[in-house]
């Protein structure tokens, strides 16, 4: 079990995350298991290893919010596992942070308490301009490797991947959270994607609320962006990735200039 100190947030505790893809649905499957040793928590893909455990006697109703970001994909079997093994287990509410064109027949629309939408962009440079204006276009590209995935989705510099997209969705989410005072309404948050299959109960009461919990694996040299469990106080710092890079690009020049630079490494850099 790894433990790290962060400048803006408490220690990150890593859940063992064995990378695998379920070919039947093309979605990630994982299961949380704990043992009696302090700080020993593992997340395993594709099989349930959680022993039968007694549920806590005191449960605070609706003090947890699960936020699903991005496109709604994975299918109903994945979403049903989210309802059963995450929402119901934790008496949690569901919020969706999705693009305005992502209106599918998903049952998530009926289950969600909050549905927040963001504009989708052909060139995500236009979205990045919303943070502090277009001034970053004169500074950040000079420091950034031409084919870096950190600002994937920004067309004029040929950045690959979807880095700018995932960071802007987090920025849009942070604006909604601040505007609606969401951190005053909930104690804990799960920020995740829609294409995970939960093979067993994801019981947050077994995770220390003073730590930030993320899966271990699929880190690509940094910190995975797929799933995070965080308390109300640390939620906004955890989401705050891109704005600081745009305002102080020289602090990130070495990472931006690496051919191997990626969103996962940038998250790790920000959290340190």
């Amino acid at each position: 079990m790894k433990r790290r100190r962060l400048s803006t947030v408490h220690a990150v505790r890593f859940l063992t995350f064995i990378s695998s893809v379920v070919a039947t649905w093309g979605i990630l499957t994982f299961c949380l298991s704990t043992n009696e040793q302090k700080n020993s928590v593992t997340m395993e893909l594709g099989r349930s290893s959680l022993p039968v455990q007694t549920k806590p006697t005191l449960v605070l109703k609706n003090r947890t919010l699960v936020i699903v970001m991005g496109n709604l994909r994975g299918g109903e079997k994945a979403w049903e596992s989210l309802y059963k093994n995450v929402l119901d287990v934790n008496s949690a509410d569901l919020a969706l942070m999705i693009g305005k064109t992502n209106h599918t027949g998903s049952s998530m629309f009926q289950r969600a308490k909050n549905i927040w939408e963001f504009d989708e962009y052909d060139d995500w440079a236009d979205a990045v301009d919303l943070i502090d204006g277009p001034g970053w276009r004169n500074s950040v590209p000079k420091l950034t490797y031409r084919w870096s995935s950190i600002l994937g989705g920004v067309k004029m510099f040929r950045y690959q991947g979807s880095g700018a997209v995932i960071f802007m969705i987090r920025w849009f989410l942070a604006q909604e959270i601040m505007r609606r005072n969401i951190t005053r309404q909930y104690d804990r948050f799960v920020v995740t994607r829609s294409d995970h299959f939960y093979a067993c109960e994801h019981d947050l009461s077994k995770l220390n609320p003073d730590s930030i919990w993320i899966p271990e694996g699929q880190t690509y040299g940094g910190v995975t962006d797929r799933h995070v469990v965080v308390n109300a106080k640390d939620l906004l710092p955890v989401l705050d990735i891109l704005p600081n890079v745009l305002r102080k690009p020289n602090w990130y020049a070495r990472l931006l200039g690496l051919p191997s630079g990626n969103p996962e490494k940038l998250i790790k850099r920000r959290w340190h």
Side-chain angles (χ1 to χ4, degrees):
M1 182 60 57
K2 300 178 182 178
R3 182 181 176 93
R4 299 174 186 263
R5 299 300 300 176
L6 306 178
S7 57
T8 57
V9 292
H10 288 293
V12 173
R13 289 180 178 170
F14 291 81
L15 304 164
T16 303
F17 195 40
I18 306 171
S19 178
S20 175
V21 175
V22 180
T24 305
W25 304 315
I27 56 180
L28 292 174
T29 306
F30 60 86
C31 179
L32 179 69
S33 67
T34 63
N35 59 35
E36 294 179 356
Q37 297 178 353
K38 186 177 181 180
N39 298 340
S40 180
V41 181
T42 62
M43 182 173 281
E44 298 181 353
L45 269 159
R47 63 189 180 96
S48 175
S49 59
L50 185 68
V52 176
Q53 301 188 22
T54 303
K55 292 184 178 180
T57 57
L58 178 61
V59 178
L60 296 177
K61 297 295 184 181
N62 296 344
R63 296 300 296 175
T64 296
L65 182 65
V66 176
I67 303 170
V68 171
M69 299 191 305
N71 294 330
L72 296 183
R73 54 191 180 185
E76 288 294 338
K77 288 186 177 180
W79 304 332
E80 288 169 6
S81 77
L82 172 72
Y83 309 151
K84 177 182 178 181
N85 287 325
V86 184
L87 297 182
D88 293 345
V89 167
N90 297 288
S91 298
D93 290 333
L94 175 65
L96 304 180
M97 187 73 215
I98 59 174
K100 289 183 177 178
T101 62
N102 193 217
H103 288 181
T104 69
S106 170
S107 62
M108 285 198 183
F109 286 105
Q110 286 71 51
R111 187 65 189 256
K113 182 175 181 179
N114 297 290
I115 300 175
W116 304 320
E117 297 177 317
F118 56 85
D119 291 325
E120 298 186 76
Y121 295 80
D122 180 59
D123 184 353
W124 281 81
D126 297 331
V128 176
D129 288 349
L130 297 175
I131 297 178
D132 284 324
W136 66 275
R137 297 180 186 234
N138 297 321
S139 56
V140 176
K142 297 175 183 177
L143 302 173
T144 306
Y145 180 67
R146 188 176 185 183
W147 299 103
S148 170
S149 64
I150 289 176
L151 286 177
V154 174
K155 283 189 171 183
M156 62 180 175
F157 304 114
R158 298 185 181 180
Y159 295 137
Q160 301 298 294
S162 57
V165 180
I166 64 174
F167 292 140
M168 283 307 303
I169 294 175
R170 283 159 174 73
W171 186 80
F172 290 135
L173 175 58
Q175 307 314 300
E176 290 290 347
I177 289 169
M178 289 187 289
R179 185 166 69 89
R180 300 174 185 272
N181 262 332
I182 296 298
T183 53
R184 291 181 177 269
Q185 302 173 37
Y186 298 94
D187 299 320
R188 299 196 81 177
F189 295 83
V190 179
V191 182
T192 189
R193 300 174 9 164
S194 64
D195 56 349
H196 293 165
F197 185 88
Y198 298 86
C200 62
E201 293 184 354
H202 191 0
D203 187 349
L204 303 185
S205 71
K206 303 181 185 306
L207 304 181
N208 185 343
D210 293 326
S211 295
I212 294 163
W213 294 86
I214 58 175
E216 184 177 45
Q218 302 198 5
T219 60
Y220 305 103
V223 171
T224 183
D225 63 350
R226 295 176 177 272
H227 188 88
V228 61
V229 180
V230 60
N231 62 38
K233 178 171 62 69
D234 292 329
L235 176 62
L236 290 174
V238 160
L239 296 174
D240 182 26
I241 304 297
L242 190 56
N244 200 58
V245 177
L246 302 181
R247 294 162 188 161
K248 301 176 181 178
N250 289 329
W251 288 18
Y252 303 91
R254 183 175 181 277
L255 176 58
L256 291 170
L258 289 174
S260 60
N262 58 39
E264 291 82 3
K265 290 179 180 177
L266 179 56
I267 294 173
K268 182 178 179 180
R269 174 71 174 81
R270 279 290 293 127
W271 287 5
H272 280 67

